[in-house]
PDB file of all heavy atoms in Angstrom:
ATOM      1  N   TYR A 273      74.156  57.805  -9.277  1.00 94.00           N
ATOM      2  CA  TYR A 273      74.327  56.563  -8.522  1.00 94.00           C
ATOM      3  C   TYR A 273      75.781  56.111  -8.545  1.00 94.00           C
ATOM      4  O   TYR A 273      76.281  55.559  -7.559  1.00 94.00           O
ATOM      5  CB  TYR A 273      73.438  55.464  -9.095  1.00 94.00           C
ATOM      6  CG  TYR A 273      71.956  55.736  -8.977  1.00 94.00           C
ATOM      7  CD1 TYR A 273      71.171  55.958 -10.100  1.00 94.00           C
ATOM      8  CD2 TYR A 273      71.338  55.757  -7.732  1.00 94.00           C
ATOM      9  CE1 TYR A 273      69.813  56.200  -9.999  1.00 94.00           C
ATOM     10  CE2 TYR A 273      69.980  55.991  -7.612  1.00 94.00           C
ATOM     11  CZ  TYR A 273      69.223  56.219  -8.752  1.00 94.00           C
ATOM     12  OH  TYR A 273      67.872  56.458  -8.639  1.00 94.00           O
ATOM     13  N   ARG A 274      76.466  56.334  -9.664  1.00 95.00           N
ATOM     14  CA  ARG A 274      77.868  55.925  -9.760  1.00 95.00           C
ATOM     15  C   ARG A 274      78.750  56.697  -8.792  1.00 95.00           C
ATOM     16  O   ARG A 274      79.800  56.213  -8.369  1.00 95.00           O
ATOM     17  CB  ARG A 274      78.379  56.109 -11.193  1.00 95.00           C
ATOM     18  CG  ARG A 274      77.603  55.319 -12.240  1.00 95.00           C
ATOM     19  CD  ARG A 274      78.421  55.067 -13.489  1.00 95.00           C
ATOM     20  NE  ARG A 274      78.887  56.262 -14.149  1.00 95.00           N
ATOM     21  CZ  ARG A 274      78.241  56.885 -15.132  1.00 95.00           C
ATOM     22  NH1 ARG A 274      77.066  56.421 -15.555  1.00 95.00           N
ATOM     23  NH2 ARG A 274      78.754  57.954 -15.705  1.00 95.00           N
ATOM     24  N   ARG A 275      78.329  57.905  -8.425  1.00 93.00           N
ATOM     25  CA  ARG A 275      79.113  58.714  -7.494  1.00 93.00           C
ATOM     26  C   ARG A 275      78.813  58.400  -6.032  1.00 93.00           C
ATOM     27  O   ARG A 275      79.481  58.920  -5.139  1.00 93.00           O
ATOM     28  CB  ARG A 275      78.844  60.203  -7.762  1.00 93.00           C
ATOM     29  CG  ARG A 275      79.482  60.708  -9.055  1.00 93.00           C
ATOM     30  CD  ARG A 275      79.088  62.132  -9.329  1.00 93.00           C
ATOM     31  NE  ARG A 275      79.817  62.675 -10.481  1.00 93.00           N
ATOM     32  CZ  ARG A 275      79.526  63.826 -11.088  1.00 93.00           C
ATOM     33  NH1 ARG A 275      78.512  64.566 -10.634  1.00 93.00           N
ATOM     34  NH2 ARG A 275      80.241  64.238 -12.106  1.00 93.00           N
ATOM     35  N   SER A 276      77.830  57.557  -5.802  1.00 93.00           N
ATOM     36  CA  SER A 276      77.475  57.207  -4.434  1.00 93.00           C
ATOM     37  C   SER A 276      78.609  56.422  -3.771  1.00 93.00           C
ATOM     38  O   SER A 276      79.267  55.604  -4.409  1.00 93.00           O
ATOM     39  CB  SER A 276      76.194  56.355  -4.425  1.00 93.00           C
ATOM     40  OG  SER A 276      76.015  55.737  -3.168  1.00 93.00           O
ATOM     41  N   ARG A 277      78.817  56.653  -2.495  1.00 92.00           N
ATOM     42  CA  ARG A 277      79.839  55.917  -1.755  1.00 92.00           C
ATOM     43  C   ARG A 277      79.480  54.446  -1.640  1.00 92.00           C
ATOM     44  O   ARG A 277      80.340  53.611  -1.303  1.00 92.00           O
ATOM     45  CB  ARG A 277      80.024  56.524  -0.365  1.00 92.00           C
ATOM     46  CG  ARG A 277      78.781  56.466   0.509  1.00 92.00           C
ATOM     47  CD  ARG A 277      79.000  57.162   1.838  1.00 92.00           C
ATOM     48  NE  ARG A 277      80.030  56.517   2.608  1.00 92.00           N
ATOM     49  CZ  ARG A 277      80.432  56.928   3.803  1.00 92.00           C
ATOM     50  NH1 ARG A 277      79.889  58.022   4.334  1.00 92.00           N
ATOM     51  NH2 ARG A 277      81.360  56.281   4.459  1.00 92.00           N
ATOM     52  N   ASN A 278      78.226  54.097  -1.903  1.00 93.00           N
ATOM     53  CA  ASN A 278      77.775  52.708  -1.822  1.00 93.00           C
ATOM     54  C   ASN A 278      77.776  52.009  -3.179  1.00 93.00           C
ATOM     55  O   ASN A 278      77.290  50.885  -3.285  1.00 93.00           O
ATOM     56  CB  ASN A 278      76.367  52.642  -1.223  1.00 93.00           C
ATOM     57  CG  ASN A 278      76.326  53.159   0.197  1.00 93.00           C
ATOM     58  OD1 ASN A 278      77.082  52.711   1.048  1.00 93.00           O
ATOM     59  ND2 ASN A 278      75.449  54.121   0.462  1.00 93.00           N
ATOM     60  N   CYS A 279      78.302  52.679  -4.188  1.00 97.00           N
ATOM     61  CA  CYS A 279      78.340  52.078  -5.521  1.00 97.00           C
ATOM     62  C   CYS A 279      79.371  50.945  -5.529  1.00 97.00           C
ATOM     63  O   CYS A 279      80.527  51.131  -5.133  1.00 97.00           O
ATOM     64  CB  CYS A 279      78.694  53.136  -6.562  1.00 97.00           C
ATOM     65  SG  CYS A 279      78.506  52.550  -8.257  1.00 97.00           S
ATOM     66  N   ARG A 280      78.954  49.784  -5.944  1.00 97.00           N
ATOM     67  CA  ARG A 280      79.795  48.591  -5.932  1.00 97.00           C
ATOM     68  C   ARG A 280      79.533  47.743  -7.175  1.00 97.00           C
ATOM     69  O   ARG A 280      78.476  47.811  -7.798  1.00 97.00           O
ATOM     70  CB  ARG A 280      79.495  47.715  -4.707  1.00 97.00           C
ATOM     71  CG  ARG A 280      79.667  48.368  -3.355  1.00 97.00           C
ATOM     72  CD  ARG A 280      81.116  48.416  -2.920  1.00 97.00           C
ATOM     73  NE  ARG A 280      81.222  48.768  -1.525  1.00 97.00           N
ATOM     74  CZ  ARG A 280      81.124  50.012  -1.056  1.00 97.00           C
ATOM     75  NH1 ARG A 280      80.893  51.010  -1.877  1.00 97.00           N
ATOM     76  NH2 ARG A 280      81.255  50.255   0.252  1.00 97.00           N
ATOM     77  N   ILE A 281      80.494  46.901  -7.467  1.00 98.00           N
ATOM     78  CA  ILE A 281      80.309  45.793  -8.399  1.00 98.00           C
ATOM     79  C   ILE A 281      80.104  44.547  -7.550  1.00 98.00           C
ATOM     80  O   ILE A 281      80.852  44.304  -6.608  1.00 98.00           O
ATOM     81  CB  ILE A 281      81.526  45.615  -9.316  1.00 98.00           C
ATOM     82  CG1 ILE A 281      81.703  46.840 -10.216  1.00 98.00           C
ATOM     83  CG2 ILE A 281      81.386  44.348 -10.161  1.00 98.00           C
ATOM     84  CD1 ILE A 281      82.989  46.822 -11.021  1.00 98.00           C
ATOM     85  N   MET A 282      79.078  43.768  -7.854  1.00 98.00           N
ATOM     86  CA  MET A 282      78.855  42.506  -7.150  1.00 98.00           C
ATOM     87  C   MET A 282      79.018  41.366  -8.146  1.00 98.00           C
ATOM     88  O   MET A 282      78.433  41.401  -9.243  1.00 98.00           O
ATOM     89  CB  MET A 282      77.461  42.457  -6.515  1.00 98.00           C
ATOM     90  CG  MET A 282      77.182  41.160  -5.762  1.00 98.00           C
ATOM     91  SD  MET A 282      75.596  41.157  -4.885  1.00 98.00           S
ATOM     92  CE  MET A 282      76.032  42.115  -3.431  1.00 98.00           C
ATOM     93  N   LEU A 283      79.801  40.369  -7.774  1.00 97.00           N
ATOM     94  CA  LEU A 283      80.090  39.267  -8.690  1.00 97.00           C
ATOM     95  C   LEU A 283      80.568  38.060  -7.891  1.00 97.00           C
ATOM     96  O   LEU A 283      80.937  38.176  -6.724  1.00 97.00           O
ATOM     97  CB  LEU A 283      81.149  39.682  -9.709  1.00 97.00           C
ATOM     98  CG  LEU A 283      82.601  39.871  -9.249  1.00 97.00           C
ATOM     99  CD1 LEU A 283      83.476  40.198 -10.465  1.00 97.00           C
ATOM    100  CD2 LEU A 283      82.813  40.937  -8.212  1.00 97.00           C
ATOM    101  N   GLY A 284      80.538  36.901  -8.546  1.00 95.00           N
ATOM    102  CA  GLY A 284      81.017  35.681  -7.909  1.00 95.00           C
ATOM    103  C   GLY A 284      82.494  35.465  -8.166  1.00 95.00           C
ATOM    104  O   GLY A 284      83.121  36.173  -8.971  1.00 95.00           O
ATOM    105  N   ASP A 285      83.075  34.480  -7.501  1.00 94.00           N
ATOM    106  CA  ASP A 285      84.502  34.197  -7.670  1.00 94.00           C
ATOM    107  C   ASP A 285      84.894  33.890  -9.118  1.00 94.00           C
ATOM    108  O   ASP A 285      85.933  34.361  -9.587  1.00 94.00           O
ATOM    109  CB  ASP A 285      84.914  33.026  -6.769  1.00 94.00           C
ATOM    110  CG  ASP A 285      85.209  33.487  -5.352  1.00 94.00           C
ATOM    111  OD1 ASP A 285      85.812  34.564  -5.182  1.00 94.00           O
ATOM    112  OD2 ASP A 285      84.836  32.772  -4.406  1.00 94.00           O
ATOM    113  N   PRO A 286      84.094  33.101  -9.872  1.00 93.00           N
ATOM    114  CA  PRO A 286      84.486  32.845 -11.265  1.00 93.00           C
ATOM    115  C   PRO A 286      84.558  34.123 -12.103  1.00 93.00           C
ATOM    116  O   PRO A 286      85.479  34.292 -12.914  1.00 93.00           O
ATOM    117  CB  PRO A 286      83.380  31.911 -11.777  1.00 93.00           C
ATOM    118  CG  PRO A 286      82.865  31.233 -10.545  1.00 93.00           C
ATOM    119  CD  PRO A 286      82.925  32.287  -9.485  1.00 93.00           C
ATOM    120  N   ALA A 287      83.595  35.035 -11.914  1.00 95.00           N
ATOM    121  CA  ALA A 287      83.625  36.302 -12.651  1.00 95.00           C
ATOM    122  C   ALA A 287      84.797  37.155 -12.195  1.00 95.00           C
ATOM    123  O   ALA A 287      85.463  37.808 -13.017  1.00 95.00           O
ATOM    124  CB  ALA A 287      82.306  37.046 -12.457  1.00 95.00           C
ATOM    125  N   LEU A 288      85.069  37.167 -10.902  1.00 95.00           N
ATOM    126  CA  LEU A 288      86.199  37.949 -10.394  1.00 95.00           C
ATOM    127  C   LEU A 288      87.511  37.443 -10.982  1.00 95.00           C
ATOM    128  O   LEU A 288      88.393  38.239 -11.342  1.00 95.00           O
ATOM    129  CB  LEU A 288      86.244  37.862  -8.868  1.00 95.00           C
ATOM    130  CG  LEU A 288      87.415  38.577  -8.183  1.00 95.00           C
ATOM    131  CD1 LEU A 288      87.427  40.059  -8.519  1.00 95.00           C
ATOM    132  CD2 LEU A 288      87.364  38.369  -6.673  1.00 95.00           C
ATOM    133  N   LYS A 289      87.634  36.135 -11.085  1.00 93.00           N
ATOM    134  CA  LYS A 289      88.852  35.570 -11.672  1.00 93.00           C
ATOM    135  C   LYS A 289      89.033  36.055 -13.112  1.00 93.00           C
ATOM    136  O   LYS A 289      90.154  36.384 -13.533  1.00 93.00           O
ATOM    137  CB  LYS A 289      88.775  34.039 -11.627  1.00 93.00           C
ATOM    138  CG  LYS A 289      90.037  33.352 -12.125  1.00 93.00           C
ATOM    139  CD  LYS A 289      89.928  31.845 -11.968  1.00 93.00           C
ATOM    140  CE  LYS A 289      91.209  31.164 -12.458  1.00 93.00           C
ATOM    141  NZ  LYS A 289      91.126  29.678 -12.303  1.00 93.00           N
ATOM    142  N   LEU A 290      87.952  36.119 -13.860  1.00 93.00           N
ATOM    143  CA  LEU A 290      88.036  36.623 -15.233  1.00 93.00           C
ATOM    144  C   LEU A 290      88.441  38.090 -15.273  1.00 93.00           C
ATOM    145  O   LEU A 290      89.299  38.499 -16.059  1.00 93.00           O
ATOM    146  CB  LEU A 290      86.691  36.444 -15.941  1.00 93.00           C
ATOM    147  CG  LEU A 290      86.263  35.027 -16.345  1.00 93.00           C
ATOM    148  CD1 LEU A 290      84.880  35.071 -16.968  1.00 93.00           C
ATOM    149  CD2 LEU A 290      87.263  34.432 -17.322  1.00 93.00           C
ATOM    150  N   LEU A 291      87.808  38.883 -14.407  1.00 95.00           N
ATOM    151  CA  LEU A 291      88.054  40.326 -14.448  1.00 95.00           C
ATOM    152  C   LEU A 291      89.449  40.689 -13.958  1.00 95.00           C
ATOM    153  O   LEU A 291      89.997  41.726 -14.338  1.00 95.00           O
ATOM    154  CB  LEU A 291      87.000  41.064 -13.616  1.00 95.00           C
ATOM    155  CG  LEU A 291      85.555  40.928 -14.094  1.00 95.00           C
ATOM    156  CD1 LEU A 291      84.662  41.958 -13.415  1.00 95.00           C
ATOM    157  CD2 LEU A 291      85.447  41.085 -15.603  1.00 95.00           C
ATOM    158  N   LYS A 292      90.018  39.859 -13.087  1.00 93.00           N
ATOM    159  CA  LYS A 292      91.384  40.131 -12.637  1.00 93.00           C
ATOM    160  C   LYS A 292      92.390  40.017 -13.776  1.00 93.00           C
ATOM    161  O   LYS A 292      93.480  40.583 -13.705  1.00 93.00           O
ATOM    162  CB  LYS A 292      91.765  39.165 -11.507  1.00 93.00           C
ATOM    163  CG  LYS A 292      91.217  39.555 -10.148  1.00 93.00           C
ATOM    164  CD  LYS A 292      91.765  38.655  -9.051  1.00 93.00           C
ATOM    165  CE  LYS A 292      91.359  39.149  -7.676  1.00 93.00           C
ATOM    166  NZ  LYS A 292      91.912  38.306  -6.595  1.00 93.00           N
ATOM    167  N   LYS A 293      92.040  39.274 -14.807  1.00 91.00           N
ATOM    168  CA  LYS A 293      92.923  39.112 -15.960  1.00 91.00           C
ATOM    169  C   LYS A 293      92.580  40.066 -17.105  1.00 91.00           C
ATOM    170  O   LYS A 293      93.290  40.110 -18.116  1.00 91.00           O
ATOM    171  CB  LYS A 293      92.827  37.672 -16.479  1.00 91.00           C
ATOM    172  CG  LYS A 293      93.139  36.601 -15.443  1.00 91.00           C
ATOM    173  CD  LYS A 293      94.585  36.626 -15.002  1.00 91.00           C
ATOM    174  CE  LYS A 293      94.900  35.477 -14.055  1.00 91.00           C
ATOM    175  NZ  LYS A 293      96.308  35.517 -13.584  1.00 91.00           N
ATOM    176  N   LEU A 294      91.507  40.833 -16.942  1.00 93.00           N
ATOM    177  CA  LEU A 294      91.001  41.648 -18.038  1.00 93.00           C
ATOM    178  C   LEU A 294      91.778  42.952 -18.166  1.00 93.00           C
ATOM    179  O   LEU A 294      92.157  43.565 -17.167  1.00 93.00           O
ATOM    180  CB  LEU A 294      89.521  41.947 -17.805  1.00 93.00           C
ATOM    181  CG  LEU A 294      88.650  42.218 -19.028  1.00 93.00           C
ATOM    182  CD1 LEU A 294      88.722  41.066 -20.016  1.00 93.00           C
ATOM    183  CD2 LEU A 294      87.208  42.453 -18.596  1.00 93.00           C
ATOM    184  N   LYS A 295      91.995  43.392 -19.410  1.00 92.00           N
ATOM    185  CA  LYS A 295      92.729  44.624 -19.690  1.00 92.00           C
ATOM    186  C   LYS A 295      91.844  45.588 -20.478  1.00 92.00           C
ATOM    187  O   LYS A 295      90.904  45.182 -21.169  1.00 92.00           O
ATOM    188  CB  LYS A 295      93.986  44.330 -20.515  1.00 92.00           C
ATOM    189  CG  LYS A 295      94.877  43.211 -19.991  1.00 92.00           C
ATOM    190  CD  LYS A 295      95.537  43.580 -18.694  1.00 92.00           C
ATOM    191  CE  LYS A 295      96.657  42.606 -18.329  1.00 92.00           C
ATOM    192  NZ  LYS A 295      96.223  41.210 -18.170  1.00 92.00           N
ATOM    193  N   ASP A 296      92.159  46.895 -20.376  1.00 91.00           N
ATOM    194  CA  ASP A 296      91.443  47.870 -21.192  1.00 91.00           C
ATOM    195  C   ASP A 296      92.078  47.929 -22.579  1.00 91.00           C
ATOM    196  O   ASP A 296      92.943  47.108 -22.915  1.00 91.00           O
ATOM    197  CB  ASP A 296      91.423  49.241 -20.506  1.00 91.00           C
ATOM    198  CG  ASP A 296      92.807  49.858 -20.355  1.00 91.00           C
ATOM    199  OD1 ASP A 296      93.760  49.374 -21.006  1.00 91.00           O
ATOM    200  OD2 ASP A 296      92.941  50.828 -19.578  1.00 91.00           O
ATOM    201  N   THR A 297      91.676  48.912 -23.383  1.00 87.00           N
ATOM    202  CA  THR A 297      92.171  48.983 -24.762  1.00 87.00           C
ATOM    203  C   THR A 297      93.652  49.314 -24.848  1.00 87.00           C
ATOM    204  O   THR A 297      94.272  49.131 -25.895  1.00 87.00           O
ATOM    205  CB  THR A 297      91.367  50.031 -25.549  1.00 87.00           C
ATOM    206  OG1 THR A 297      91.419  51.286 -24.848  1.00 87.00           O
ATOM    207  CG2 THR A 297      89.920  49.604 -25.714  1.00 87.00           C
ATOM    208  N   GLN A 298      94.247  49.815 -23.756  1.00 85.00           N
ATOM    209  CA  GLN A 298      95.670  50.109 -23.708  1.00 85.00           C
ATOM    210  C   GLN A 298      96.471  48.980 -23.061  1.00 85.00           C
ATOM    211  O   GLN A 298      97.679  49.116 -22.831  1.00 85.00           O
ATOM    212  CB  GLN A 298      95.906  51.404 -22.926  1.00 85.00           C
ATOM    213  CG  GLN A 298      95.307  52.645 -23.572  1.00 85.00           C
ATOM    214  CD  GLN A 298      95.963  52.947 -24.910  1.00 85.00           C
ATOM    215  OE1 GLN A 298      97.180  52.974 -25.019  1.00 85.00           O
ATOM    216  NE2 GLN A 298      95.143  53.173 -25.931  1.00 85.00           N
ATOM    217  N   GLY A 299      95.770  47.884 -22.757  1.00 86.00           N
ATOM    218  CA  GLY A 299      96.449  46.769 -22.127  1.00 86.00           C
ATOM    219  C   GLY A 299      96.658  46.938 -20.640  1.00 86.00           C
ATOM    220  O   GLY A 299      97.411  46.192 -20.013  1.00 86.00           O
ATOM    221  N   ARG A 300      95.979  47.912 -20.028  1.00 90.00           N
ATOM    222  CA  ARG A 300      96.112  48.163 -18.595  1.00 90.00           C
ATOM    223  C   ARG A 300      95.071  47.341 -17.839  1.00 90.00           C
ATOM    224  O   ARG A 300      93.911  47.259 -18.256  1.00 90.00           O
ATOM    225  CB  ARG A 300      95.945  49.650 -18.292  1.00 90.00           C
ATOM    226  CG  ARG A 300      96.940  50.532 -19.037  1.00 90.00           C
ATOM    227  CD  ARG A 300      96.673  52.013 -18.782  1.00 90.00           C
ATOM    228  NE  ARG A 300      96.924  52.346 -17.393  1.00 90.00           N
ATOM    229  CZ  ARG A 300      98.131  52.589 -16.897  1.00 90.00           C
ATOM    230  NH1 ARG A 300      99.203  52.521 -17.674  1.00 90.00           N
ATOM    231  NH2 ARG A 300      98.285  52.905 -15.631  1.00 90.00           N
ATOM    232  N   PRO A 301      95.443  46.731 -16.721  1.00 93.00           N
ATOM    233  CA  PRO A 301      94.512  45.879 -15.980  1.00 93.00           C
ATOM    234  C   PRO A 301      93.373  46.684 -15.371  1.00 93.00           C
ATOM    235  O   PRO A 301      93.559  47.810 -14.912  1.00 93.00           O
ATOM    236  CB  PRO A 301      95.389  45.246 -14.902  1.00 93.00           C
ATOM    237  CG  PRO A 301      96.523  46.197 -14.723  1.00 93.00           C
ATOM    238  CD  PRO A 301      96.774  46.785 -16.088  1.00 93.00           C
ATOM    239  N   LEU A 302      92.165  46.081 -15.348  1.00 94.00           N
ATOM    240  CA  LEU A 302      91.006  46.729 -14.733  1.00 94.00           C
ATOM    241  C   LEU A 302      91.011  46.543 -13.221  1.00 94.00           C
ATOM    242  O   LEU A 302      90.461  47.360 -12.490  1.00 94.00           O
ATOM    243  CB  LEU A 302      89.714  46.147 -15.313  1.00 94.00           C
ATOM    244  CG  LEU A 302      89.558  46.195 -16.837  1.00 94.00           C
ATOM    245  CD1 LEU A 302      88.171  45.701 -17.230  1.00 94.00           C
ATOM    246  CD2 LEU A 302      89.798  47.590 -17.368  1.00 94.00           C
ATOM    247  N   TRP A 303      91.616  45.436 -12.762  1.00 95.00           N
ATOM    248  CA  TRP A 303      91.696  45.162 -11.323  1.00 95.00           C
ATOM    249  C   TRP A 303      92.953  45.795 -10.757  1.00 95.00           C
ATOM    250  O   TRP A 303      94.053  45.599 -11.299  1.00 95.00           O
ATOM    251  CB  TRP A 303      91.717  43.657 -11.089  1.00 95.00           C
ATOM    252  CG  TRP A 303      91.871  43.261  -9.637  1.00 95.00           C
ATOM    253  CD1 TRP A 303      90.894  43.173  -8.705  1.00 95.00           C
ATOM    254  CD2 TRP A 303      93.089  42.886  -8.972  1.00 95.00           C
ATOM    255  NE1 TRP A 303      91.413  42.775  -7.491  1.00 95.00           N
ATOM    256  CE2 TRP A 303      92.762  42.600  -7.630  1.00 95.00           C
ATOM    257  CE3 TRP A 303      94.431  42.785  -9.385  1.00 95.00           C
ATOM    258  CZ2 TRP A 303      93.709  42.196  -6.699  1.00 95.00           C
ATOM    259  CZ3 TRP A 303      95.378  42.391  -8.454  1.00 95.00           C
ATOM    260  CH2 TRP A 303      95.012  42.100  -7.123  1.00 95.00           C
ATOM    261  N   VAL A 304      92.795  46.565  -9.699  1.00 94.00           N
ATOM    262  CA  VAL A 304      93.933  47.224  -9.056  1.00 94.00           C
ATOM    263  C   VAL A 304      93.873  46.939  -7.557  1.00 94.00           C
ATOM    264  O   VAL A 304      92.851  47.205  -6.916  1.00 94.00           O
ATOM    265  CB  VAL A 304      93.916  48.750  -9.300  1.00 94.00           C
ATOM    266  CG1 VAL A 304      95.074  49.419  -8.578  1.00 94.00           C
ATOM    267  CG2 VAL A 304      93.974  49.044 -10.797  1.00 94.00           C
ATOM    268  N   PRO A 305      94.939  46.388  -6.971  1.00 93.00           N
ATOM    269  CA  PRO A 305      94.914  46.063  -5.542  1.00 93.00           C
ATOM    270  C   PRO A 305      95.063  47.299  -4.672  1.00 93.00           C
ATOM    271  O   PRO A 305      95.749  48.260  -5.039  1.00 93.00           O
ATOM    272  CB  PRO A 305      96.122  45.127  -5.387  1.00 93.00           C
ATOM    273  CG  PRO A 305      97.084  45.597  -6.436  1.00 93.00           C
ATOM    274  CD  PRO A 305      96.226  46.021  -7.602  1.00 93.00           C
ATOM    275  N   GLY A 306      94.432  47.268  -3.515  1.00 90.00           N
ATOM    276  CA  GLY A 306      94.633  48.323  -2.534  1.00 90.00           C
ATOM    277  C   GLY A 306      95.993  48.164  -1.873  1.00 90.00           C
ATOM    278  O   GLY A 306      96.413  47.047  -1.587  1.00 90.00           O
ATOM    279  N   VAL A 307      96.675  49.263  -1.623  1.00 85.00           N
ATOM    280  CA  VAL A 307      98.030  49.200  -1.080  1.00 85.00           C
ATOM    281  C   VAL A 307      98.033  49.140   0.440  1.00 85.00           C
ATOM    282  O   VAL A 307      98.688  48.306   1.049  1.00 85.00           O
ATOM    283  CB  VAL A 307      98.870  50.401  -1.568  1.00 85.00           C
ATOM    284  CG1 VAL A 307     100.230  50.404  -0.887  1.00 85.00           C
ATOM    285  CG2 VAL A 307      99.031  50.348  -3.075  1.00 85.00           C
ATOM    286  N   ALA A 308      97.267  50.028   1.095  1.00 75.00           N
ATOM    287  CA  ALA A 308      97.200  50.031   2.554  1.00 75.00           C
ATOM    288  C   ALA A 308      96.464  48.792   3.053  1.00 75.00           C
ATOM    289  O   ALA A 308      95.745  48.123   2.299  1.00 75.00           O
ATOM    290  CB  ALA A 308      96.509  51.295   3.043  1.00 75.00           C
ATOM    291  N   THR A 309      96.615  48.486   4.352  1.00 67.00           N
ATOM    292  CA  THR A 309      96.047  47.263   4.923  1.00 67.00           C
ATOM    293  C   THR A 309      94.548  47.149   4.677  1.00 67.00           C
ATOM    294  O   THR A 309      94.039  46.108   4.294  1.00 67.00           O
ATOM    295  CB  THR A 309      96.315  47.205   6.439  1.00 67.00           C
ATOM    296  OG1 THR A 309      97.727  47.236   6.650  1.00 67.00           O
ATOM    297  CG2 THR A 309      95.724  45.944   7.044  1.00 67.00           C
TER     298      THR A 309
END
Side-chain angles (χ1 to χ4, degrees):
Y273 296 113
R274 301 203 301 267
R275 288 175 173 169
S276 166
R277 62 184 297 179
N278 297 307
C279 189
R280 302 280 193 280
I281 296 172
M282 180 175 281
L283 71 176
D285 277 320
L288 177 59
K289 184 176 181 180
L290 288 177
L291 297 194
K292 280 187 173 181
K293 304 293 185 182
L294 207 56
K295 310 292 193 300
D296 64 14
T297 55
Q298 296 296 311
R300 302 176 66 81
L302 305 185
W303 177 83
V304 178
V307 174
T309 301

